[in-house]
Amino acid sequence: MAKERKPIEEKSIWDDARQMLHKAERDGIDTAWDRLEHQTPHCTSCESGLSCRNCTMGPCRISKKAPLGVCGADGDVIVARNFGRFVSGGCAGHSDHGRDCIEALHAVAHGLTEDYSIKDEAKLLRIASELKISTEGRLVLEVAKDLCNEFFANYGSTIDELSFLCRVPEKRKQIWKNLGITPRGVDREIAEMMHRTHMGCDNDAANTMLHTARTSLADGWAGSMIATEISDILFGTPSPRKSAVNLGVIKKDQVNILVHGHNPIVSEKIVEAVNDPELIALAKEKGAAGINLAGLCCTGNELMMRQGIPMAGNHLMTELAIVTGAVELIVVDYQCIMPSMVTIGNCYHTKMVTTADKAKFTGAEHVKFEMHNGMAQARKVVRMAIERFGLRNDKRVEIPEGTIELVTGFSNEVLLGAMGGTLTPLVDAIKAGKIRGAVAIVGCNNPKYQQDYCNVNLTKELIKKDILVLVTGCVTTATGKAGLLVPEAIEMAGPGLKEICASLGIPPVLHMGSCVDNARVLQLAALLANELGVDISDLPLAGSSPEWYSEKAAAIGTYCVASGIYTHLGHPPNITGSEIVTNLALEGLDNLLGACFGIEPDPFKAAELIDQRIRQKRKALGLGE
Amino acid sequence: MAKERKPIEEKSIWDDARQMLHKAERDGIDTAWDRLEHQTPHCTSCESGLSCRNCTMGPCRISKKAPLGVCGADGDVIVARNFGRFVSGGCAGHSDHGRDCIEALHAVAHGLTEDYSIKDEAKLLRIASELKISTEGRLVLEVAKDLCNEFFANYGSTIDELSFLCRVPEKRKQIWKNLGITPRGVDREIAEMMHRTHMGCDNDAANTMLHTARTSLADGWAGSMIATEISDILFGTPSPRKSAVNLGVIKKDQVNILVHGHNPIVSEKIVEAVNDPELIALAKEKGAAGINLAGLCCTGNELMMRQGIPMAGNHLMTELAIVTGAVELIVVDYQCIMPSMVTIGNCYHTKMVTTADKAKFTGAEHVKFEMHNGMAQARKVVRMAIERFGLRNDKRVEIPEGTIELVTGFSNEVLLGAMGGTLTPLVDAIKAGKIRGAVAIVGCNNPKYQQDYCNVNLTKELIKKDILVLVTGCVTTATGKAGLLVPEAIEMAGPGLKEICASLGIPPVLHMGSCVDNARVLQLAALLANELGVDISDLPLAGSSPEWYSEKAAAIGTYCVASGIYTHLGHPPNITGSEIVTNLALEGLDNLLGACFGIEPDPFKAAELIDQRIRQKRKALGLGE
């Protein structure tokens, strides 16, 4: 029996996506939605977390008939082990990216590159001071060297307390200490997670879950936070700027290059190269009107935040961008890059270029970016794109029209600056109930949902309720396309939020960056808690990842909860096979950490859930609900 | 239809095991063999490595109908990713154990414990010198501090070359350099492996396999090697001593305590505590004739090597030891401890005590061992065991009779010492073809095999062919029970091997330690290669893990191959779903690394395979086959 295919209109809420999905169908291209259909139904053992492959006495599947694995592990232990490894995969992604940032700063500090430099010296010095590194009368590069050493130590075995724990409220640190989950070195926690989940180590689901929390905290307060801070130091701290979003940012008459991945180290050089007059001249020689650069996914966020480079699309748009037939080249670093992109690129003339040894793609061209050759390699890549312009088949080009304007660049520095260097206006607004609370909506797309339906509708519902929304990652594109990232969007907000945002001239939904930049949200929450003399868990805050798909999203969710922030997910991770683990995630952690997960696929109901939580928190603080 | 159960005689080759399996059946106890029956047939997707749970767009299963995951990853990428994480689980186990050893030495060096001390100062100084740490005129503890710093750095982000790479032949290091797999910090490689296997990172199976090799090398030449060297420093370098093996080492009239796990830090203190006259008196007061300590698994190997403590059994004997009904208490650290042991213990009077926060067991009592309280905690545990003696139900006690003698303690220091401090006699014996080669047989039991049938028969076949066998881990117990670990076993060896072993007074099968002690094998291989001025891959050596089950065994196999040692496995890891990965493992790596895996479940055929390899290597060296 042929399975009934989901109508294209149900796959995405966006016109640009739908148009490209129709074209993909015509062009005979399979996308993530098609592959999901082939992969449905999923294996229920894997989906519920009840399958184990951690040794070759198995693989095992827990069921009523076989309630124990060959080693004797029960469903609870297996689910917790799988979840622990899942989260540590996400932590490793963010944190290894953070390490690459340290190495970049290290190369700059030690004069090993001329291609990179320190763009925000003030931030470097500010962070050094925060971490008790002497700055007075010292050369900036000398301070940078010390900062690198401090950050490298955050990944090691001998650190008792991560550097940025200086930002964490004392009450929160005490909770971690009491539970034995004060995060130590990032890599250590990841390696210990892998060790604990080896056969015959941790066989207590709750204990494994606690270490999962600890590992995620090392990501949030070190790996990700270091990535964010160094990216600001090297490439500039984001400040408000306008940009545009939609597949319409791809230009018919220009050489189109897309950057995709997460780390700005490659893409920042591409930005420079596409502005190289010589290369622009070459493009014109080849018949193009110029060179057009657009972003995808989090590399797109990084460039949009700092350079105003337009955003072609989020996770589920990455394949569809190629389907326009007008993309000469996609250059990627790592994470969330669908392997299918090489194949789809081959159906057109789109070249896929990889740049990191840790993320090669079979069939892609590898142009290794290193600190000493970043600029030269970027030029090489841009030249490759120009060469491909002539291969474009105009008959197969179809680019959705129109772009949507957005405002980006709301770093904490900008927010504080807008309030005159103090949190008082924000605190006052919260106390007065004009801003009832704040919610960070983060993460991904997932073809199991109608693309961005939940991301957009949850955002709209929350701002209606006078709740400020902060967005990062792929939710940026969603809310941008919905017109929520412009000051005019205050018309969709409740009266209190509208008033405050109008007075500050900001949108009711603030773009704070890429997915490592959720560390900015952590920092802001900590600042607020410290300002009020309370724990983060006392604040009327929440996190949400309605359409998440990745291990990194699970890591983010877990460090949010462990940091005291109630976190909504559209669907649970693969833990439902264990009542203990599920109950712990949905309730038990609340007792231990003052926060837990909430699961709700419907964005309207999710808004209610979150609103309820914010009411509770406000009430407990003695504020009107 | 009821499944036909495997007859007990087919489950193990040993009388003690069979006797306990009959008793378990009578007592209504399920063991690993029963659980394996419930878990059979296994999921073919998981077994072939073709299932992916690394994001929630899935889980996915690769099949003809659905050849790509939702992200677009194909079977090759998925299999390689799964194998990479599998191996990194094993590397994390060994290496986190190694880190615990560094922390122990660090506590000793800094005077933070009175319970531990440096037993082999000469080895400490020798290793410090090897690693270019100044020793002259310095206090031993000062040197120890520097050594700890050096070792901690081996886990970090800033090390370019692991300390013990000074042991590696130059030709081998050049191969690693050319392939880009020179191992860096242990934790870094593990974290990068987790990063690479996140969705949208490494999407090239061969590239992922290379990083798997790199990660395993960090285990072999750092994590495991550091664990071994520090254990020798703290507890003494093993030297030949007699011990005994079999469930018969459990004593009917005494308080029986079993130690299980891997790290000697806990068990060495238990040894001291069971010899405490006060506690022995207490045991007698309670009606016992004394306190009897025996080992299981690798903690058993560690104690047997250094203290001559008898060995109750290997992996599949761990549950059966409890079935004797005569074990008061099992104290464990981590790894390979079946979660079922708590439940089985509850069916008798056997108490299970955990000691490491990273390995808690639901239902077990947790007595946390720390460096400052090791001795006090050990006494507490022994006291708990004594208290339970009165709870023993004599009617349910049945202990298999008889023990087998073995000789243990063949560290490299001992081997070199026996040869007058030089490898010349060994080299001469190899050149003369008296010893045609050497094979390390390592690893586990797996209920998919008749217990120890392959371990024992492969060993017997190889020594018949004048091939020296080195054993570690659970193969120790197997070969010990088969009477192969005594000098008299030369009668089972070929004429050349017999002659050499007789002249040195050693058995033809040498016990080198626990599973981290496979680092001793690496070191010996490197010494031999350096002596001959060749690469490790030129030597007539092989590794084998006939009945392996654990991620650690996969890590060991991989670092052996990456170090240039052909490695036989009784069954493949879960990689058979990818032709690329399978071919790479079985052939392709040979071109890259001069070694690969060979798979053969039949020990007689496996002996032929290995023999063939040794012939080739001898021939290439210009030696008679």
Side-chain angles (χ1 to χ4, degrees), chain A residues 57 67-74 77 81 199-203, chain B residues 29-36 260 315-323 330 332 336-348 350-352 360-364:
Chain A
M57 297 194 292
L68 298 175
V70 177
C71 69
D74 62 17
V77 164
R81 286 200 299 219
M199 198 299 264
C201 291
D202 215 359
N203 286 303
Chain B
I29 307 283
D30 263 7
T31 64
W33 287 276
D34 301 301
R35 295 189 298 269
L36 175 62
H260 184 6
H315 182 54
L316 281 175
M317 303 306 291
T318 57
E319 295 183 300
L320 301 182
I322 306 176
V323 176
I330 302 183
V332 306
C336 301
I337 302 146
M338 292 197 209
S340 57
M341 295 183 80
V342 178
T343 323
I344 299 180
N346 286 340
C347 296
Y348 300 93
T350 309
K351 190 169 194 72
M352 178 89 159
K360 289 189 179 173
F361 283 56
T362 310

Side-chain angles (χ1 to χ4, degrees), chain A residues 15 65 158 307 552 597:
Chain A
D15 287 340
K65 201 196 104 225
T158 56
Q307 312 291 352
K552 290 178 295 168
F597 287 99

Side-chain angles (χ1 to χ4, degrees), chain B residues 68 81 123 134 150 185 204 293 451 467 479 486 538-539:
Chain B
L68 298 175
R81 286 200 299 219
K123 178 151 191 172
S134 133
E150 174 86 18
D204 180 86
L293 182 67
Q451 188 203 8
I467 294 168
T479 47
V486 285
D538 297 321
L539 299 172

Side-chain angles (χ1 to χ4, degrees), chain B residues 184-203:
Chain B
R184 298 161 300 175
V186 181
D187 288 336
R188 178 197 193 138
E189 301 301 9
I190 293 167
E192 184 174 319
M193 189 82 251
M194 294 304 288
H195 178 194
R196 281 176 181 248
T197 49
H198 188 282
M199 198 299 263
C201 291
D202 216 359
N203 287 303

Side-chain angles (χ1 to χ4, degrees), chain B residues 141-187:
Chain B
L141 292 189
E142 291 303 312
V143 176
K145 285 178 192 171
D146 286 354
L147 190 61
C148 287
N149 291 341
E150 174 86 18
F151 284 155
F152 276 133
N154 273 260
Y155 285 70
S157 298
T158 56
I159 196 165
D160 290 329
E161 193 172 299
L162 300 171
S163 303
F164 284 124
L165 259 48
C166 64
R167 294 177 171 177
V168 178
E170 281 307 318
K171 287 181 185 173
R172 181 63 19 194
K173 287 208 276 191
Q174 199 53 52
I175 287 175
W176 294 345
K177 198 175 168 191
N178 294 345
L179 291 170
I181 62 168
T182 303
R184 298 161 300 175
V186 181
D187 288 336

